[in-house]
Amino acid sequence: MESTQPPPPPPPAAAAAASPISTPKPPFPSKKSFVSSLMEVATLRSPSFKEDTYFISHLKSSERKALQDLKNNLSAATTTTTTTDSPSMWGIPLLSDDERADVILLKFLRARDFKVPDSLTMLQKSLQWRSEFGADGILDEDLGFKELEGVVAYMQGYDREGHPVCYNAYGVFKDKEIYEKIFGDDEKLKKFLKWRVQVLERGINLLDFKPGGINSLIQVTDLKNMPKRELRVASNSILSLFQDNYPELVARKIFINVPWYFSILYSMFSPFLTQRTKSKFVIAKEGNVAETLYKFIRPEDVPVQYGGLNRPSDLQNGPPKPASEFAVKGGEKVNIQIEGIEGGATITWDIVVGGWELEYSAEFIPIADGSYTIAVEKPRRISANEEAIHNSFTTKEPGKMVISVDNTASRRKKVAAYRYIVRKSTAI
């Protein structure tokens, strides 16, 4: 049998090796379904978005001139108004020599293709909106949406490049009672929009606003069970508000659990999007969520409900512990062997396979001859919607732990991740 070894996570007290055991693959037919064909249409083929560095030296001469012209025009417009306050955004004076001000101004310029008059108008309207909306002090407000925290829109973790990640999931509003409670009238809608802005402002508070720094967010939008008609007004309001007042603050927008009809919706709004905006889009249908997110976000930062290892309660213990990624090919079984475990030690592990639908088990094998293998977790089928496994076992004698995932009944390769820690016995 062939065997490969993906790199293990940094071992705290033992070494580990993941060994896929090859078995013959079943002769599955290769046919494209109607849904798969539609998803191919929906998948964007535009070049991947490349984020700007915001170094002035990287700008074209025409862009540098546009930046200076915008500053001059903003200064002139400010002196003619009745207010004596210097314009600022996120606590950064826009007419100062602060390089962070240049980053913000360049965002407005890029949003309007470096057309100075259009950029100035957009900037002035945004400054006025922030003043009327109370955006600068919104982080201190208690808007009373505790039941939506961590469910509908929330900041959680970072991507592989250090961008804060904002997750959005509106499936909860499929419940009519919850929908009426949040969107029952215009006043409720306005309050929800304020809360949604508050979540975004929390993410912006994590940005550098410096050349070469982290100057934008990652947006992950879960379309599973999202009520289309009912949320149309709310989603349009959110989209319009964000486009008008938060330009170039999203480096990538990842759509997950995308339904088959998304291709139809995309074909409708695609003509209104710039190529630059479309290049930021990543689309993943249901079943490909973990595989897609792992390309941009490490498994230990991906929420457990999306095939990752990140639980909100874990953050109480500091930054997430690193995990090791590996693939479980169709028709194969993977055994992760954690060796060198001393008697009396406790091993704790997390493991997840994107889309599961395979068999999982864990056993402890003592070193001593004549000792019996202990079935820590008997083989069981794990369904697609189950979250990461989290378990621990205290040994009585030296040996090794073997964690197995069996994908021999499937033709589909799946992404997976695991991590572990071994704590030696403190008994004397």
Side-chain angles (χ1 to χ4, degrees), residues 143-308:
L143 299 172
F145 285 101
K146 296 298 182 184
E147 72 273 24
L148 303 185
E149 296 284 348
V151 178
V152 172
Y154 52 97
M155 303 299 307
Q156 186 169 331
Y158 299 83
D159 76 346
R160 292 178 184 269
E161 297 178 349
H163 300 94
V165 182
C166 181
Y167 292 87
N168 306 275
Y170 299 105
V172 66
F173 295 121
K174 195 171 185 179
D175 184 305
K176 291 185 178 180
E177 185 176 337
I178 296 177
Y179 176 84
E180 286 297 324
K181 180 180 178 182
I182 304 299
F183 302 110
D185 54 48
D186 289 344
E187 286 304 313
K188 290 180 179 179
L189 174 58
K190 289 178 182 178
K191 191 175 182 181
F192 174 80
L193 290 177
K194 197 159 191 176
W195 174 79
R196 189 58 190 84
V197 167
Q198 186 183 62
V199 174
L200 179 58
E201 289 283 338
R202 285 195 198 115
I204 292 173
N205 208 34
L206 301 173
L207 302 181
D208 297 329
F209 288 112
K210 290 184 178 180
I214 302 299
N215 298 309
S216 55
L217 310 167
I218 300 294
Q219 289 272 5
V220 178
T221 300
D222 183 0
L223 298 182
K224 188 174 184 178
N225 294 327
M226 180 176 176
K228 300 181 291 297
R229 294 179 181 177
E230 292 86 349
L231 276 181
R232 185 173 298 168
V233 174
S235 58
N236 287 346
S237 298
I238 293 171
L239 180 62
S240 175
L241 190 149
F242 285 3
Q243 282 185 335
D244 292 343
N245 301 289
Y246 296 92
E248 297 296 315
L249 280 163
V250 176
R252 197 175 306 279
K253 190 158 184 71
I254 305 173
F255 296 92
I256 59 175
N257 289 318
V258 174
W260 65 266
Y261 53 78
F262 185 84
S263 58
I264 301 173
L265 298 177
Y266 176 71
S267 65
M268 295 172 63
F269 66 74
S270 178
F272 303 100
L273 301 174
T274 65
Q275 189 63 30
R276 181 181 177 84
T277 297
K278 287 188 284 188
S279 69
K280 299 179 183 181
F281 285 11
V282 176
I283 299 176
K285 63 181 178 180
E286 192 170 2
N288 286 352
V289 173
E291 183 178 0
T292 300
L293 292 180
Y294 281 14
K295 292 177 182 178
F296 306 101
I297 307 168
R298 290 192 56 81
E300 61 266 26
D301 280 314
V302 174
V304 288
Q305 64 267 34
Y306 297 132

Side-chain angles (χ1 to χ4, degrees), residues 79-149:
T79 58
T80 59
T81 60
T82 56
T83 179
T84 58
D85 295 333
S86 177
S88 66
M89 207 169 269
W90 300 299
I92 301 170
L94 298 180
L95 294 176
S96 66
D97 293 330
D98 192 329
E99 61 183 1
R100 296 178 300 167
D102 289 344
V103 171
I104 295 174
L105 294 177
L106 282 169
K107 288 183 179 294
F108 282 87
L109 282 165
R110 287 197 169 97
R112 292 295 181 263
D113 296 323
F114 281 88
K115 296 175 182 177
V116 176
D118 294 346
S119 302
L120 178 63
T121 299
M122 182 185 187
L123 177 59
Q124 289 175 317
K125 287 183 177 180
S126 182
L127 287 167
Q128 182 179 353
W129 170 81
R130 292 187 68 82
S131 176
E132 295 173 352
F133 196 82
D136 290 330
I138 203 167
L139 292 180
D140 299 324
E141 293 189 46
D142 182 1
L143 299 172
F145 285 101
K146 296 298 182 184
E147 72 273 24
L148 303 185
E149 296 284 348

